[in-house]
Amino acid sequence: MLNVLAPSQLEQWRSDGYLLLPSFFAPEEVKEMLDEAKRLCDDFDIEGHPMTAFKTAADGEHVGDDYFLNSGDKIRYFLEPSSTSPATASQPAKLLVPPSQSINKVGHALAVLNPVFKRYTLQNDKIKGIAGDLGEQEDPRVLQSMIICKQPRIGGTVPCHNDSTFLYTDPPSAIGCWIALEDCTPTNGCLSFLPGSHKRARISSRFVRDPSGKGTTFIDIPEVKKNEENWDEMDGWKEADCKAGTLVLIHGSVMHKSPPNHSDKTRFIYTFHMIEGAQGTVYDEKNWLQPTKEMPFPSLLE
Ligand SMILES: O=C(O)CCC(=O)C(=O)O
């Protein structure tokens, strides 16, 4: 397997819980992914779409309809909440911007179903090398692969969170691979991290399918929640501005977030996650995202 990470980079990863790898992908590789991301957005047909917006806790409620819950083995489009007029009793929600500019994200099985993104994920020797070098997962399985658009002027906040809240395994094992397809700055909504928080943060809450059978909900883990620190308000947050082509590795417990995009520039990225698939680690059956019989989470190193 390709050796990609230097010992100093591994040390930084372990200490900070995230790692920026500038120029991980060459400009022509980034262009291929960005062109494909833009093509997917241009192909978006709003006709028949359920107007599912990617809402988070910052918007008052988290997305959770069937269109979202059944997207793990498909390529589906989720709208930016402020790209639509609110639905009323007499009027359905309507798009306020052209369809291609209304999209918050496209997911969640690009790594399997889209040949371009598959090439930069499951079929990519450098990505396999990263998983090998990190050495944290014996049998990394890829899930939740998606494009996040952060559209100019309307791209919303991603509130402070860690990823194992959303992709819980016992023990926690999620790692995010986040690839900048365009330059990311504080103005167009780059990521920020609280370095080292992965060492102190425990999973205090879980994003799950609602036990009632409809929608999603957060369930707190009371003994952790009651002692939880206010991560968002802490000193020490660092902005992770980066150039197109940078790969950002994100530990499943590290606290991170991104601000809205008030600029005139897009901020397209491609991201996927890996979880431990080897025996001894259990992917939780309550998680919002579930593998299907037709599409189990694919193994990266097979
Ligand atoms: O791209 C963003 O702004 C947020 C992404 C994120 O939080 C994640 O991939 O966990």
Side-chain angles (χ1 to χ4, degrees), residues 16-20 191-195 197 236-240 248-251 254-257:
D16 291 346
Y18 70 100
L19 183 68
L20 270 67
L191 292 172
S192 295
F193 290 91
L194 189 60
S197 50
W237 279 88
K238 282 209 171 133
E239 282 169 336
V248 184
L249 296 174
I250 306 177
H251 188 284
V254 78
M255 304 311 296
H256 60 287
K257 58 186 175 181

Side-chain angles (χ1 to χ4, degrees), residues 3 29 39 121 156 263 271:
N3 187 231
E29 296 179 310
R39 187 194 65 76
T121 315
S263 81
T271 181

Side-chain angles (χ1 to χ4, degrees), residues 148 150 158 161 163 178 189 191 250 256 258 267 269 271 273:
I148 303 181
K150 206 58 117 170
V158 174
H161 70 283
D163 292 342
W178 185 102
L191 292 172
I250 306 177
H256 60 287
S258 68
R267 197 225 62 177
I269 67 99
T271 181
H273 291 76

Side-chain angles (χ1 to χ4, degrees), residues 277-299:
Q279 257 194 352
T281 301
V282 179
Y283 185 78
D284 202 285
E285 62 185 18
K286 294 197 277 301
N287 287 342
W288 81 269
L289 177 62
Q290 291 297 324
T292 57
K293 204 153 37 72
E294 297 72 30
M295 195 188 290
F297 298 142
S299 179

Side-chain angles (χ1 to χ4, degrees), residues 14-89:
R14 288 187 192 121
S15 135
D16 291 346
Y18 70 100
L19 183 68
L20 270 67
L21 299 168
S23 305
F24 187 83
F25 286 113
E28 57 278 13
E29 296 179 310
V30 179
K31 182 175 181 320
E32 193 185 8
M33 283 188 269
L34 183 60
D35 286 352
E36 182 64 0
K38 296 218 157 145
R39 187 194 65 76
L40 284 165
C41 289
D42 288 341
D43 283 357
F44 174 45
D45 186 359
I46 191 71
E47 198 57 44
H49 187 272
M51 303 300 278
T52 307
F54 189 79
K55 292 188 177 156
T56 68
D59 305 299
E61 56 167 331
H62 214 287
V63 61
D65 64 0
D66 286 350
Y67 182 79
F68 174 74
L69 288 175
N70 298 327
S71 64
D73 58 357
K74 300 182 185 67
I75 299 177
R76 287 189 162 172
Y77 295 82
F78 301 95
L79 304 178
E80 194 57 64
S82 55
S83 72
T84 69
S85 61
T88 63

